[in-house]
Amino acid sequence: MDLPASLQAAVTGFLLGLGLIVAIGAQNAFVLRQGLLRRHVLVVTTLCALSDAVLIAAGVAGLGGLVARSPVLLTVATLGGAAFLLAYGLLAAKRALRPARLTAAEEGEAGLGRVVAATLAFTFLNPHVYLDTVVLVGSLSARYGGDARLAFALGAMTASFLWFYSLGFGARLLAPLFARPAAWRVLDGLIACVMVAIALSLLNAWRAG
């Protein structure tokens, strides 16, 4: 028995959204670390999911084509994102090289404003976010019409909420492992490598383009 068109579109959107977001990237690495430290996890995960929802809605509404056709917007987003990721990568490398603290409690409480600013920066200063949510999801939604198009967008948004909440709140299951300084050093070392690698890939893509 065939599924209704709207349900098919919703499932397709959900699987596409999940496939795009479940990857080792700057935003996911940040959410994972916040989850391990148990710092403002609800705020971070909700901001990430809502930001994705807004970008997906913009893409489905037609902004994807505009961004794809604007070299200026892509250049600004690429250079700004690369600079931010390089800076954060260096900070992560510094944390990895110095003696790591054992638990989240020993790390001290980061201000909510700083956490919110970092979350928004990881979301909106990363060109990959625009390419995935606005351009790709937006362009693929064009083949649907009416309710099916809305269902496609809602499916992709649902994937973002499910992933970020699972990543942020599920991270605490790894807390016993990260009670050891060596685990924090490895995590921050990996985060540094991911941030720098993404930044360099953005710069290389910009130069090649």
Side-chain angles (χ1 to χ4, degrees), residues 59-70:
V60 172
L63 186 60
L66 175 64
V67 174
R69 293 192 300 269
S70 175

Side-chain angles (χ1 to χ4, degrees), residues 106-198:
E106 294 174 353
E107 287 278 344
E109 182 64 22
L112 177 59
R114 291 179 60 186
V115 172
V116 168
T119 304
L120 294 176
F122 275 113
T123 300
F124 294 104
L125 290 181
N126 184 0
H128 288 161
V129 172
Y130 296 96
L131 294 176
D132 288 346
T133 57
V134 178
V135 178
L136 183 56
V137 175
S139 61
L140 291 179
S141 70
R143 60 176 169 167
Y144 298 102
D147 292 341
R149 192 171 188 181
L150 175 61
F152 179 85
L154 291 176
M157 293 176 188
T158 300
S160 290
F161 277 92
L162 177 64
W163 170 251
F164 283 121
Y165 285 133
S166 299
L167 181 63
F169 289 101
R172 66 185 58 192
L173 299 176
L174 299 175
L177 172 64
F178 284 88
R180 295 159 35 183
W184 282 107
R185 292 192 182 99
V186 170
L187 176 64
D188 281 322
L190 289 174
I191 289 176
C193 291
V194 169
M195 302 298 177
V196 173
I198 294 175

